Amino acid sequence: QVQLVESGGGLVQPGGSLRLSCAASGLLFSFNTMGWYRQAPGNQRELVAGLTRDGRINYADSVKGRFTISRYNAKNTVDLQMNSLKPEDTAVYYCHVPGYRNAWGQGTQVTVSS
């Protein structure tokens, strides 16, 4: 059973930074694409960043240049460094393994507000 646990969310002022981390278990981590998604009230869940085992990365246009996804295979974690945060980044952020359709974390709330 795949287990994903997100951490690192919180309240931050516009322009600030947060680093989210997702700890994964129950899968061969290094062989799987990992992704960060987010969902704000009234919006669909959207891909924020994805990182394959081969190092290919894709970002949502809205976060390019501000967010960085990275993985640490020895620790079975995937992180999302978020800089220059904007109020529109406010959402619940979820970790996901695309290769396991139902594998989602519980989410961590990110609130960007002064």
Side-chain angles (χ1 to χ4, degrees):
Q1 183 178 356
V2 175
Q3 298 284 339
L4 304 171
V5 181
E6 303 96 335
S7 62
L11 174 65
V12 65
Q13 294 184 353
S17 298
L18 284 173
R19 188 178 183 92
L20 307 183
S21 184
C22 170
S25 62
L27 77 165
L28 196 58
F29 182 83
S30 64
F31 279 80
N32 281 276
T33 295
M34 302 296 298
W36 281 99
Y37 296 71
R38 68 186 181 188
Q39 187 168 22
N43 293 89
Q44 296 185 20
R45 191 168 298 186
E46 63 175 347
L47 175 69
V48 177
L51 175 56
T52 73
R53 69 179 191 178
D54 299 315
R56 290 177 292 164
I57 299 173
N58 66 300
Y59 295 102
D61 288 342
S62 59
V63 308
K64 286 181 179 177
R66 300 188 297 120
F67 290 11
T68 302
I69 188 171
S70 58
R71 66 191 300 157
Y72 304 92
N73 289 338
K75 298 169 60 179
N76 286 3
T77 60
V78 56
D79 288 4
L80 185 69
Q81 178 66 47
M82 305 184 295
N83 299 325
S84 302
L85 283 161
K86 304 174 180 179
E88 50 262 47
D89 295 318
T90 296
V92 178
Y93 284 70
Y94 298 90
C95 186
H96 178 52
V97 187
Y100 296 80
R101 183 164 295 176
N102 296 321
W104 294 90
Q106 294 300 119
T108 184
Q109 176 71 48
V110 172
T111 302
V112 184
S113 176
S114 59

